[in-house]
Amino acid sequence: MKYFIAFVLVAGLCALAQAQEQSCQVDVQSACGQSANGGVANCNARYAAIGHLEHKMQDYIHLQLKKSYEYLLMATHFNSYQMNRPGFQKLYQGLSDRAFDDTIALIKQVTRRGGSVDFSKPHQQGVAQPPEVHLNELESLARALDNEKELTNGAIHVHTSATHGTTDNRIHDPEMAHYLQENFLSKQAASVRTLSGYANDLSKLVSVREPALSVYLFDEYLQKQ
């Protein structure tokens, strides 16, 4: 009789332990659900307003990549033997590399938050026309300044969407806003300030009767930056 009672107690403890183990599995299945491919559909890295911001971030990624390509064309133009402006080439090559690095960083941020980036879909503004890059020195600085303001406004647009929503988690995302503030807004403000200074300085230098020497010296200055 004693052995029977001991057996019942051991069996009861084993059944209780198994039920506790299954309750964890049930909780996971109940909370996350099962997806068609056997994974857990809702157990992902998506939270807060990533669903609201994902397409805005994708548009900004496309914009960064487009400007990287445009800056690269400008750098190639000034590196030709006809233009022979190594200072301007260095400036635009640096802006191209920075925009490309920012593109990679933004893709990593979106995927870290559980989103995805689809380059098979066209940009919201449609297929972009090839940019005009055969510009003189001052015109190129004006184009670069406009580009940097466009990139700045793009970051502000996403940042505003992340911060000016309600406390509803679906349209409010402090983490994404902090990321953009730390990695883009301050950097873009500095870039706009630098290029606006370059454009104003060069506009004064080329106002003389023979500006060739002034432009040459300005290009020498850019090489040293």
Side-chain angles (χ1 to χ4, degrees):
M1 186 64 181
K2 292 181 180 180
Y3 292 109
F4 177 75
I5 295 174
F7 174 78
V8 171
L9 289 174
V10 171
L13 290 174
C14 292
L16 180 60
Q18 183 178 7
Q20 289 176 342
E21 291 176 359
Q22 290 178 345
S23 68
C24 180
Q25 181 180 358
V26 169
D27 286 344
V28 170
Q29 292 175 347
S30 176
C32 299
Q34 289 287 341
S35 65
N37 60 4
V40 282
N42 297 317
C43 288
N44 51 48
R46 301 177 69 88
Y47 63 92
I50 185 62
H52 175 65
L53 298 173
E54 190 171 4
H55 70 284
K56 300 178 188 294
M57 289 288 286
Q58 176 152 318
D59 287 340
Y60 191 50
I61 288 169
H62 278 273
L63 181 62
Q64 287 278 0
L65 193 58
K66 173 187 172 184
K67 296 307 179 185
S68 175
Y69 171 70
E70 186 172 336
Y71 283 137
L72 184 60
L73 291 177
M74 293 170 67
T76 303
H77 169 63
F78 283 102
N79 195 43
S80 66
Y81 73 91
Q82 296 98 330
M83 295 302 295
N84 192 29
R85 293 286 185 241
F88 281 87
Q89 186 273 333
K90 177 184 177 183
L91 172 64
Y92 297 133
Q93 184 67 57
L95 290 173
S96 176
D97 292 343
R98 188 213 63 192
F100 186 80
D101 290 342
D102 286 345
T103 300
I104 301 300
L106 286 165
I107 293 173
K108 289 181 178 180
Q109 171 66 6
V110 171
T111 56
R112 185 174 70 88
R113 289 291 306 274
S116 62
V117 179
D118 187 359
F119 286 100
S120 66
K121 296 180 180 179
H123 188 265
Q124 65 174 0
Q125 297 177 353
V127 179
Q129 297 298 321
E132 174 56 50
V133 297
H134 295 88
L135 308 169
N136 63 37
E137 293 82 359
L138 184 56
E139 289 173 340
S140 72
L141 286 175
R143 170 68 62 80
L145 180 57
D146 288 341
N147 285 346
E148 289 305 295
K149 287 183 178 180
E150 187 177 357
L151 289 171
T152 303
N153 288 331
I156 291 173
H157 175 65
V158 182
H159 184 272
T160 301
S161 299
T163 55
H164 286 190
T166 67
T167 55
D168 188 335
N169 285 337
R170 292 174 296 177
I171 55 177
H172 187 67
D173 201 319
E175 192 276 335
M176 190 70 78
H178 176 74
Y179 173 81
L180 292 168
Q181 180 75 40
E182 288 290 310
N183 296 282
F184 288 91
L185 295 181
S186 297
K187 179 172 62 178
Q188 286 298 141
S191 183
V192 169
R193 170 61 183 86
T194 298
L195 288 172
S196 62
Y198 287 167
N200 279 274
D201 288 344
L202 186 58
S203 67
K204 297 172 185 176
L205 292 173
V206 299
S207 63
V208 299
R209 186 172 182 178
E210 295 293 336
L213 179 59
S214 298
V215 175
Y216 173 79
L217 292 175
F218 189 82
D219 184 74
E220 289 284 310
Y221 167 76
L222 290 179
Q223 291 184 61
K224 300 175 183 179
Q225 302 307 302

